[in-house]
Every structure is written in structure tokens, then in C-alpha cells.
Amino acid sequence: MSNNIDSILSALAQEATRRGLIIATAESCTGGWIAKSITDLPGSSAWFDCGFVTYSNHAKQTMLGVSDELISKHGAVSREVVESMCQGALKHSKANWSIAVSGVAGPDGGTPDKPVGTVWIAWQKKSGVPTAKLYYFQGDRDLVRRQTVQYALDELLNLVAKQLPKK
């Protein structure tokens, strides 16, 4: 799967560079893996600004501005929280695109409503509204996190490729 992440990143780097995009990440369950994958690529400083690793609810609140009320009402693993994380990453960076992820990677922490493998991923263009998707990944902790990284980057590539070229 790592080769697939590498090919996605290569294409994303080309699109981001060509379109003048700057990306920021807001990560919970992946613990910075998305930002690490991006920065493993030479030249990524041209299109990557920063990554927020907000593993705790406190970090989500203080670093990204996610409200306590939102977390209390919907839980950290929710559409509302990842959308707010995207908005916070854009607000606290120079990025014009953001990715946010929050999930239950396991092996513990799952509930009947949010079993292990439940992951919310959101993407947002600075001038737009967030898009969020719910995934149910299978496998152990490492595989759930790896799939999260792959799907987050792949969908960002799809969203970026659909936007009009920069003039």
C-alpha cells in the first residue's frame, strides 16, 4: 500500500505545484502520518505549510479552535469535529487546502456506534465549505491508520484535480 501512497503523493505534488496550492493537515488518529508522508517527498516545502497533530480533545480545542460543545455533542470522531478541524487548520496556517482526520484505530476504544475502524475524513478549500466522508476500515491499528492516510490523500488529489486551473 505504501507504493500506492507514494504514487498518490507524486501526482498530488504535481497538481499542487501547478496550481499554486498550499496544504495543511489536522490529524488525530494518524498522529501526523499524513504530514510525514507529504514531507518525505523532496520539494514538498513548496506546497505544504504545516501539520497539526491533535490527538487529544484539548489539542483540538486549543490548536484548532474546535469547541468543547461540538466535541461533547457529537464526539471527537464525527463529521462536525473533522469539519471544524479543517476550518481550524486553514485559519491557523497559510494553507488554501486542508485535510482533517479523526477515528478509532484500535485495538480498543470502539463502541457499538463507532466500532474500531471508524474514521471521519474531511477536506476543505479555503474559499469553500468542508467535504467529509465516513469510512469503516478493516484490519489492525496500523492498517486502519495506513488506509486513512491513503484515502485522505487520494480524495484530496481528486478534489484538487477537479478545480479550475489557477490563472
Side-chain angles (χ1 to χ4, degrees), residues 66-67 70-71 73-87 114 120 122 130 132:
V66 177
S67 75
L70 204 61
I71 294 171
K73 183 175 182 182
H74 301 284
V77 180
S78 65
R79 170 189 299 272
E80 293 80 4
V81 167
V82 293
E83 288 177 349
S84 183
M85 289 170 67
C86 263
Q87 292 163 353
K114 296 176 185 175
W120 275 99

Side-chain angles (χ1 to χ4, degrees), residues 1-14 154 157:
M1 192 174 310
S2 150
N3 287 341
N4 197 16
I5 291 173
D6 292 345
S7 64
I8 293 166
L9 277 170
S10 178
L12 181 58
Q14 289 178 335
D154 190 48
L157 175 60

Side-chain angles (χ1 to χ4, degrees), residues 20-94:
L21 305 181
I22 305 295
I23 296 166
T25 61
E27 302 180 62
S28 186
C29 64
T30 50
W33 194 339
I34 298 170
K36 183 219 179 293
S37 297
I38 290 171
T39 58
D40 280 348
L41 195 64
S44 59
S45 61
W47 54 275
F48 181 71
D49 184 43
C50 62
F52 299 90
V53 179
T54 56
Y55 206 68
S56 70
N57 291 342
H58 175 76
K60 288 174 185 64
Q61 294 164 350
T62 59
M63 295 173 71
L64 298 172
V66 177
S67 75
D68 179 52
E69 180 183 330
L70 204 61
I71 294 171
S72 296
K73 183 175 182 182
H74 301 284
V77 180
S78 65
R79 170 189 299 272
E80 293 80 4
V81 167
V82 293
E83 288 177 349
S84 183
M85 289 170 67
C86 263
Q87 292 163 353
L90 290 170
K91 181 178 179 182
H92 298 287
S93 73
K94 294 182 179 183

